[in-house]
Amino acid sequence: MNRTSAWCELFVDALVHAGVREVVISPGSRSTPLVWAFAANGALRVHSVVDERAAGFFALGMAKVSGDPVALVCTSGSAPAHYFPAVLEASVSRVPLLVIAADRPLVLQDVGANQTVSQRSLFGEHARWFADLGEPDATLRGLRMVKRVALQAVARARGPVPGPVQINARFRKPLEPDAAAPAEHVDAGVAERVIAVRREGFAFHRAPVVVADDGAVDALRVAIGKARRGLVVAGPLSADARTRRAVFYFCAHTGFPLVAEATSQLRFTADVPAGVTLLDAFDAALRSSKGLPVPDLVIQVGRPPTSGAWERFVAAHASIPRWIVGDVEFEDPAQTAQGFVVGDTARAFETLAHRAATKVDGAWVKSLVEHDRNAAHALRAASADGAIAEPVAMQAVVDALPAGAVLSVGNSLPVRWADAWVTCRHKDLRVLSQRGLSGIDGLVAGAAGARAASVDPVALVLGDVSLLHDLGSLAVVRAQAAPFLVVVLNNDGGHIFDTLPAARSEALRPHFDLWTTPHGLRFDHAAAMFGLGYSRAVDAGGLARALADGLEAARPTLVEVIVSSDNARMCLERLDAALAESPPASNGAS
């Protein structure tokens, strides 16, 4: 028996035992023993993605939907380096990934051998763990080691803080499992030893759960007891059903209103419990000059909110006691939080709901709700001129999706439109985003991975520059099941910069194309090249038809929404004008 193939078989068996069910493979020679072992294991789904950069984001999207580690396999040299953007996002977003890179043996290191570079700890501090397996060792000790490393890698990827891990595997030629091996590679007893190690079984392991310190929970309980105008603000979360129930339960018990970002998994839900005051026009409300009723306690759930208006509000009201509840400490860009409750989020809110006693000022809540409704009315007024607009397109996608679908939102403007402009309280949607580092890279591949892991329809909404950045990943989209919508908001460049202070700089104005990067392109030929369905929408009716057709199509569909280059700026100007005309909220403290 070939010792290399036997060693790889045992390694893959251990990964499967630990819960790995998906592997994404990019082609190469040095990784042949690993690829064969993964392909030969019937318990795995194998996905082939040519480009390692796209493969990394594809695996990221799969892991976000499933919650389980996804394995990535590539050859040596520059190949694993292409995973780096996805590894960075996985690290910050706390998504479990297993990066398994083949490598040359040590005798070929530092001698100018082709496709050979040091791959040790390639991702540095961004990986939760690194292991170099060395070359295959078919002794009992070596076989036990490779089994243990597989189990350990999955455990480290799962937690207590999930994230990426790297495994380096060195192989000598021959690489094929049925190749005639040199005499030193022949091992007559390897089959028996592999059987013996398998019979020993696989160690049971479950990722530890970090429970919040009881003293921290009690300190927050005391703060809640003193509050009369408490507010819960939920930023980007990968919340499971238990966390959602716990946050709702806490809000119902305390009477604290809930501000739910689009990416929090708390806004788009069909079942808001009685007693929960859910505010979903809060970003627009914060833009109003009418004066938001100010809370006397803020509890932030998860990562810092996307909303720039909220960031400015926090900066202007640094004296308001603000506590952050999440699984990682010190996620506070403003650096003014009064306290942190770090640990299992669902358990923390369950405990607080049972222990906390509070009496919320009903007049203040009423005033806050009125302010939110006025902002929602202003949003509708700003969208009522009948023209196609980016935020209107985002709302149309949400309206078109069936319950249970996955909405993937791109960075720059799309995630902001989803958060600031879109309301939907009667439909369960899961919202995926890459808000860890807020990059535009890999958005198409990430959504394709989400579609591969989901039994429900998926819609990706992104900008034209983001699509150009990841255009090659349309090949990965093609391989996925329908319904799968890729909706590109084409405003001919990166016009988020028109809404930023740079747009008002006289010094930058002559060179502003370096920021907005106009391109003058349409995407119909790209859709045709990759075999996708295609629709172009220039008005609201056309968009509604394109979305409906795409959700019924037998193949993934690219929907291109054509908007003017000044659309983003004009939408915000119309919103500010509508907010200025809205009536002030009554009652409450400002």
Side-chain angles (χ1 to χ4, degrees):
M1 188 176 187
N2 184 312
R3 86 169 59 155
T4 299
S5 58
W7 189 82
C8 289
E9 274 191 276
L10 185 60
F11 174 68
V12 172
D13 282 350
L15 292 178
V16 169
H17 177 84
V20 175
R21 293 294 179 268
E22 310 278 358
V23 57
V24 184
I25 293 173
S26 296
S29 176
R30 190 62 55 164
S31 55
T32 294
L34 283 170
V35 172
W36 175 82
F38 277 105
N41 193 300
L44 289 161
R45 281 207 307 169
V46 178
H47 308 266
S48 177
V49 178
V50 172
D51 175 8
E52 287 88 1
R53 178 177 162 276
F57 283 102
F58 182 81
L60 183 79
M62 294 188 76
K64 283 186 174 183
V65 169
S66 69
D68 293 320
V70 175
L72 285 157
V73 179
C74 68
T75 190
S76 62
S78 64
H82 290 285
Y83 291 145
F84 216 139
V87 167
L88 291 174
E89 179 67 27
S91 180
V92 178
S93 296
R94 303 187 280 280
V95 178
L97 289 182
L98 299 175
V99 177
I100 306 167
D103 199 356
R104 262 53 175 178
L106 285 172
V107 295
L108 294 181
Q109 296 287 330
D110 299 318
V111 293
N114 181 50
Q115 205 172 327
T116 305
V117 67
S118 175
Q119 297 174 192
R120 290 186 58 82
S121 298
L122 183 64
F123 306 113
E125 65 186 53
H126 306 292
R128 299 290 185 267
W129 189 63
F130 167 77
D132 194 328
L133 290 171
E135 296 181 43
D137 176 359
T139 65
L140 279 174
R141 191 183 186 104
L143 293 171
R144 286 171 180 146
M145 181 273 294
V146 75
K147 181 178 72 170
R148 184 264 305 166
V149 168
L151 299 174
Q152 195 170 2
V154 175
R156 295 293 181 90
R158 287 189 184 277
V161 179
V165 302
Q166 181 198 352
I167 301 173
N168 212 51
R170 302 177 184 274
F171 299 112
R172 292 174 183 259
K173 295 181 178 179
L175 303 170
E176 300 75 21
D178 54 356
E184 66 268 20
H185 280 217
V186 175
D187 191 333
V190 65
E192 289 78 9
R193 290 194 292 276
V194 169
I195 292 170
V197 171
R198 279 201 177 100
R199 283 176 177 168
E200 292 171 358
F202 299 90
F204 175 82
H205 181 274
R206 181 169 293 172
V209 176
V210 176
V211 179
D213 176 74
D214 202 56
V217 173
D218 197 55
L220 178 52
R221 178 193 63 79
V222 172
I224 292 169
K226 296 177 180 178
R228 296 295 176 265
R229 303 189 304 276
L231 183 67
V232 177
V233 179
L237 279 169
S238 55
D240 55 19
R242 178 170 165 248
T243 302
R244 178 188 288 192
R245 286 194 303 269
V247 174
F248 281 151
Y249 177 51
F250 172 84
C251 291
H253 177 77
T254 60
F256 284 17
L258 171 63
V259 175
E261 278 210 348
T263 59
S264 69
Q265 319 309 323
L266 293 165
R267 179 184 293 186
F268 302 122
T269 175
D271 300 311
V272 179
V276 175
T277 301
L278 179 60
L279 309 173
D280 54 10
F282 201 70
D283 185 86
L286 287 169
R287 293 179 67 91
S288 173
S289 60
K290 297 295 194 298
L292 183 77
V294 177
D296 61 4
L297 174 66
V298 172
I299 301 175
Q300 175 187 313
V301 189
R303 303 194 71 247
T306 301
S307 169
W310 174 251
E311 182 180 4
R312 292 188 293 273
F313 181 84
V314 169
H317 297 84
S319 61
I320 298 175
R322 187 166 53 89
W323 284 70
I324 299 176
V325 180
D327 55 2
V328 175
E329 59 188 350
F330 299 118
E331 290 202 314
D332 176 32
Q335 301 177 68
T336 56
Q338 188 174 77
F340 299 86
V341 176
V342 182
D344 183 276
T345 302
R347 186 174 299 188
F349 275 99
E350 289 165 355
T351 302
L352 287 166
H354 286 298
R355 295 183 185 176
T358 186
K359 185 177 180 181
V360 173
D361 182 345
W364 176 80
V365 174
K366 181 180 178 182
S367 179
L368 193 64
V369 169
E370 186 178 351
H371 203 86
D372 190 71
R373 287 174 179 168
N374 289 341
H377 178 77
L379 287 169
R380 290 190 293 272
S383 307
D385 65 355
I388 190 70
E390 294 183 36
V392 174
M394 180 65 74
Q395 180 73 64
V397 173
V398 170
D399 291 342
L401 287 174
V406 176
L407 172 64
S408 181
V409 290
N411 284 318
S412 294
L413 283 172
V415 69
R416 288 170 171 82
W417 296 136
D419 186 49
W421 219 282
V422 178
T423 60
C424 178
R425 300 190 184 189
H426 305 293
K427 184 190 297 182
D428 284 320
L429 294 178
R430 183 167 185 182
V431 182
L432 299 184
S433 64
Q434 290 180 188
R435 294 303 295 168
L437 293 174
S438 303
I440 64 169
D441 43 353
L443 293 169
V444 177
R451 185 65 188 92
S454 175
V455 298
D456 297 304
V458 172
L460 166 66
V461 183
L462 78 170
D464 48 310
V465 175
S466 296
L467 180 52
L468 287 171
H469 198 281
D470 200 24
L471 197 65
S473 291
L474 290 178
V476 192
V477 170
R478 178 187 182 183
Q480 306 313 312
F484 183 8
L485 296 172
V486 177
V487 182
V488 55
L489 307 178
N490 190 348
N491 58 20
D492 192 26
H495 288 286
I496 187 174
F497 294 103
D498 291 338
T499 70
L500 300 179
R504 300 187 291 275
S505 169
E506 292 296 331
L508 298 183
R509 192 174 302 281
H511 315 287
F512 207 53
D513 281 2
L514 296 175
W515 282 263
T516 57
T517 59
H519 49 78
L521 298 173
R522 295 289 186 263
F523 293 97
D524 48 344
H525 292 294
M529 175 182 177
F530 290 105
L532 307 178
Y534 175 81
S535 293
R536 181 179 296 169
V538 296
D539 56 44
L543 176 58
R545 289 189 296 273
L547 295 174
D549 291 344
L551 288 170
E552 295 293 330
R555 58 177 175 168
T557 301
L558 175 64
V559 177
E560 184 172 12
V561 183
I562 307 298
V563 296
S564 63
S565 59
D566 62 354
N567 184 263
R569 179 178 57 80
M570 294 296 293
C571 285
L572 293 175
E573 287 177 358
R574 287 200 301 270
L575 174 59
D576 288 338
L579 287 169
E581 295 176 3
S582 64
S586 59
N587 301 318
S590 297

